[in-house]
Amino acid sequence: MIGSANHSPEGTLSILSRQSSSAIAEPIMTLVSRGETVATPPMTFPISAAANVTFNGERYLHAHLLHTFSGTSASTLEISAQARQFSSMMVMVGTISSASSFEPKYAAIVQNKDELTIPLELSTIPTPKEFKEAVVSISPKQQAFAKMFRSMQLASTLFGVVVVQIKPALEQILNLPPDSLTKELRLTQDLMELFIEYQIPTDLLKYDTEPAGGGGGGGGGG
């Protein structure tokens, strides 16, 4: 479930396994480690060459064991994201490049009963023993290249998904009090339309707590 405290869930996010194209997809079983929000440092992801976004929140590390037997085909995996009515969230998929950075590859907004399904293409990386046996007969230069290529593969094998709830994000960038948009369904839809379709800068819609004219002095009477 995707949501926050004292609020109904915005939707669901799950990884499904399908044994064949005609089989029903079922959620996979994983080993889970949950990181506390207070104890974990913030992470960042780039949105351009000069700008990064810092984020924090609950983090879950999932481990799943895949196995196949001779004569059988491996099951396929897919990510499924579903949003409830009048709810919205942004789903980003990518890799964890370091303990403090996330590299997004694709992103999509899921809202108003949308259902997003993303197939996952998996590849098997040889074990250290298999790799050593495979490169023992090639030249030293080729071995160096193979080792460099393997290190690049191992550096980007940690798959990550980041979910951003849109209503709290809108409240923050528009300088609104928390939960201001919880019951403002039409206003939330109009704001998303302005930002997504018309690319309106947030500064034009941001709530300014200071008076527009500033604090002027008063006049005296005689």
Side-chain angles (χ1 to χ4, degrees), residues 13-16 77-81 91-93 106-108 115-121 159:
L13 179 70
S14 56
I15 298 181
L16 307 177
L77 300 181
E78 58 188 40
I79 291 180
S80 176
V91 180
M92 296 180 289
V93 295
Y106 305 97
E115 182 176 355
L116 174 67
T117 302
I118 306 175
L120 298 179
E121 296 183 357
F159 177 72

Side-chain angles (χ1 to χ4, degrees), residues 127-138:
T127 63
K129 181 180 179 181
E130 292 174 337
F131 176 77
K132 184 177 180 180
E133 293 176 352
V135 301
V136 68
S137 60
I138 60 179

